Amino acid sequence: MNKNGSLRFIFVRHGETTGNSSIRFFGKTDVPLSDEGHKQMKAVSKALKSEHFDAIFTSPLCRTIEGARIISGDRKIPLFQMKEFREIDFGRWEGLTLEEIEKKDPLMFIEWRKAFWKFDYPEGERRDDFVEKVKSGIDGVLSRINEGTVLLVLHKGIIRTSIYYLLGNLDNYSENFQADLGSIHELERINGTWNYKKMNYTEHLSI
């Protein structure tokens, strides 16, 4: 990873979707923001209105693109869609709730809860492939932007993996990482070292 200059990454998880992303596992499925999701992104826009963004990065999925456009408003900020930031493919668990997954695949559900970070979703994306994909995406961002402030409107799994990668903590991964819908996370790189400045900030959503 390039380590030149002072750089801020502000990650935002997209808002609620028509598919109820708050309770259902939507990865590769392209579901748009719901009315509630639009409200959440407008709240994020208000919270970040004083920020100057040098670039915005999203996945190719419409829920992140919509969110980014709402947040940026009428500001002319370059927006880049990156295939590396597409959420993980949950395979035959796509669109299911926790309860539905447990009922459908009880033994696999137990294995998943025991070894989350090493688990490969049935008929879905291999965990190692997903991690490498996200790392490649972050490296791609860093190859474009050396300093300034970057907005990344992404998915929970992408945000989690990106942050652990930047902090050098992929080997100490915790499944308890929180990234609520509409949450803001901020990392800053100073003298080559990344530091967590804001974690799962959601106060703007309650105003």
Side-chain angles (χ1 to χ4, degrees), residues 102-114:
E102 185 174 17
K103 183 177 180 180
K104 185 181 183 72
D105 288 309
L107 296 180
M108 276 196 172
F109 182 85
I110 292 172
E111 290 303 312
W112 174 44
R113 304 309 281 177
K114 283 182 180 178

Side-chain angles (χ1 to χ4, degrees), residues 1-4 7 9 11 57 82 84-85 130-146 150 152 154 158 161-168 170 189 194:
M1 290 184 290
N2 202 334
K3 297 184 178 181
N4 297 322
L7 181 62
F9 275 6
F11 293 91
F57 292 87
M82 298 188 65
E84 294 89 349
F85 289 152
F130 174 74
V131 172
E132 290 304 314
K133 177 182 72 174
V134 177
K135 288 166 61 177
S136 176
I138 289 296
D139 288 344
V141 174
L142 292 171
S143 71
R144 291 173 181 262
I145 309 291
N146 289 321
V150 176
L152 302 100
L154 301 172
I158 302 292
T161 306
S162 297
I163 288 175
Y164 274 87
Y165 176 46
L166 289 167
L167 295 177
L170 280 175
R189 186 185 67 189
W194 286 96

Side-chain angles (χ1 to χ4, degrees), residues 123-134:
E123 301 170 24
E125 192 169 356
R126 291 182 65 252
R127 178 71 64 173
D128 288 346
D129 292 340
F130 174 74
V131 172
E132 290 304 314
K133 177 182 72 174
V134 177

